[in-house]
Amino acid sequence: KKTDAKKVKKIISSYVEKAVHIHSLPARSAKNKANGAPPQEKKPAAKKAKTVVNNIASLVNGSDPRSFVRKRIAKDFDSKTFYGTIMEYDDTEKPAYWHVEYDDGDEEDYSKKDLIKALKDYEINGKNDTNKSDQNP
């Protein structure tokens, strides 16, 4: 009887090892199984990186609006990037705006949405700004 118990234990042990091995194999689809393709390792899900837009939007929404005065911005016009400086913040009107003067002499008023986009564009293209300052976030 002891011999039979050892045999049974050995057989069960063997089945358990096989079951563990099967569960640890990479998965493959029914189509790949039918075609005889080898199992594919599952890749871990990619982490979503914070985008520049979200970081800058958080910065704009959480900061004193006047803190952006003298910051450099970039804006794309007809596939060409133009650079400018935020000269003032005006909250006497609703909605409030930031006044921008471009290096070529043009001027424009920015809403919060415009400001976020221009700061994001500067984050990406600012390395090409010939008049850059160390003022930007």
Side-chain angles (χ1 to χ4, degrees):
K1 289 187 178 183
K2 286 185 179 181
T3 316
D4 289 339
K6 286 183 179 180
K7 285 182 182 177
V8 170
K9 193 173 182 180
K10 192 173 185 178
I11 291 170
I12 291 172
S13 215
S14 172
Y15 281 119
V16 169
E17 285 179 24
K18 288 178 184 175
V20 168
H21 177 71
I22 289 170
H23 288 293
S24 66
L25 289 175
R28 58 183 173 168
S29 69
K31 182 178 176 183
N32 285 342
K33 283 180 188 176
N35 294 334
Q40 299 294 317
E41 291 289 334
K42 285 187 177 180
K43 295 180 182 176
K47 293 182 180 179
K48 291 184 180 180
K50 286 187 175 180
T51 63
V52 171
V53 176
N54 289 341
N55 291 339
I56 290 176
S58 296
L59 181 68
V60 170
N61 289 322
S63 300
D64 175 9
R66 288 172 181 75
S67 68
F68 297 98
V69 173
R70 294 278 171 228
K71 301 281 188 225
R72 298 286 290 164
I73 57 89
K75 186 169 183 179
D76 186 49
F77 289 101
D78 297 324
S79 300
K80 186 176 179 194
T81 302
F82 289 85
Y83 298 96
T85 302
I86 301 167
M87 301 308 290
E88 68 177 298
Y89 173 74
D90 187 347
D91 61 355
T92 61
E93 297 181 29
K94 295 293 179 200
Y97 65 88
W98 290 264
H99 185 75
V100 173
E101 291 181 9
Y102 293 98
D103 296 345
D104 67 359
D106 282 349
E107 298 180 16
E108 185 174 9
D109 292 332
Y110 277 15
S111 67
K112 185 183 283 191
K113 182 178 175 181
D114 297 331
L115 177 67
I116 291 168
K117 181 167 180 8
L119 289 170
K120 176 201 75 127
D121 288 347
Y122 192 83
E123 184 80 17
I124 293 167
N125 299 308
K127 61 187 170 288
N128 301 320
D129 181 6
T130 57
N131 294 328
K132 71 173 95 183
S133 68
D134 294 331
Q135 296 283 324
N136 280 42

